Amino acid sequence: MKNKYRVLVVEDEPKAREQLVGMLGQFEDFSDIFEAGSLKEAQRICESEDLDLAFCDVMLPDGMSLDWIAQRGKIDFELIFITSHQDFATKAFRLAALDYLLKPLDKEEFRTAVLRFLTKKDKKNSQIEQLIHNLKSPKEQTKIALPTLHGYLFVEIRQIVRCESDNTYTNFFLKDGKKLLVSRTLKDVEQLLEDFGFCRVHNSHLINMDYVEEYLKGEGGQVKLSDGTHVDVSRRRKEEFLGQLKKW
């Protein structure tokens, strides 16, 4: 027998809330759908109901859902955030590998988020904790959630020396010598790390500028990193790399 899940929709705009409830109604997997227009209402429902999933608008009349979640402590249901601000905290959501949806809601993106929830068995408590950490901490302390076969491994960004493409996967090479194979493309990784001093020097290579020891001239050239690795610089990316190197 298929599992039935109980879901909460926290959204202060009546039309947006109605749309969300209607979209959820298209799935047979949800037995109960609760609605809240404020954090106070959401808190009341959470205290009386056993939830499996919550859709939370980031900004609500009585506060921010992120602060409310941080204050709750343990979260025993999964979360999908909703925001109308494309730049607002989206980097933090991606770094913690949490789902978020932008307004106006796209039906396909919504469906993908729901299906991702339905196929997952693990809870996101550690990801929620990491999200709050990322939002409140300076960049050098921020961690990234790396999807592994067993769940997620949280790694300090400053410990990443370089990343190398392996088709649809990416190898992460860390300062302590560890190598991690992660199910993300190098393009995805580049988008996550572009604000943290990383530079794409080749179609296959992304490097942490903090670990650059030497640049060897050539058609594209080579970069020597502090772990002794030599990484080729492509002709197409040489100018961008040299420009970033001067700033660094």
Side-chain angles (χ1 to χ4, degrees), residues 214-224 230 233 238 241:
E214 186 179 1
Y215 171 66
L216 306 173
K217 292 181 179 180
E219 187 174 4
Q222 270 192 342
V223 176
K224 181 183 176 182
H230 286 76
V233 178
K238 179 178 179 179
F241 164 71

Side-chain angles (χ1 to χ4, degrees), residues 66-169:
L66 296 171
D67 294 332
W68 169 63
I69 289 162
Q71 292 166 7
R72 279 183 55 82
K74 184 179 179 182
I75 302 294
D76 53 5
F77 51 85
E78 296 202 41
L79 282 155
I80 298 175
F81 291 96
I82 304 168
T83 176
S84 56
H85 304 278
Q86 186 163 1
D87 295 328
F88 180 81
T90 53
K91 183 76 75 175
F93 291 136
R94 290 199 298 272
L95 287 169
L98 274 163
D99 277 330
Y100 67 96
L101 297 170
L102 292 172
K103 295 180 181 179
L105 294 180
D106 179 88
K107 291 183 179 179
E108 279 306 310
E109 290 180 0
F110 176 84
R111 177 179 172 79
T112 298
V114 171
L115 291 177
R116 191 176 293 123
F117 159 76
L118 294 175
T119 55
K120 273 191 175 182
K121 295 180 181 178
D122 63 318
K123 296 296 182 182
K124 290 188 176 179
N125 293 337
S126 58
Q127 289 163 269
I128 293 294
E129 292 168 6
Q130 190 56 49
L131 171 68
I132 301 302
H133 175 86
N134 286 351
L135 287 169
K136 293 182 178 180
S137 301
K139 287 182 178 180
E140 61 268 19
Q141 295 180 348
T142 302
K143 294 182 179 181
I144 184 173
L146 302 180
T148 67
L149 292 173
H150 307 290
Y152 289 90
L153 180 65
F154 293 97
V155 174
E156 287 191 14
I157 291 176
R158 62 185 175 182
Q159 297 299 316
I160 302 169
V161 177
R162 65 187 180 94
C163 303
E164 184 176 351
S165 175
D166 186 356
N167 294 317
T168 58
Y169 290 81

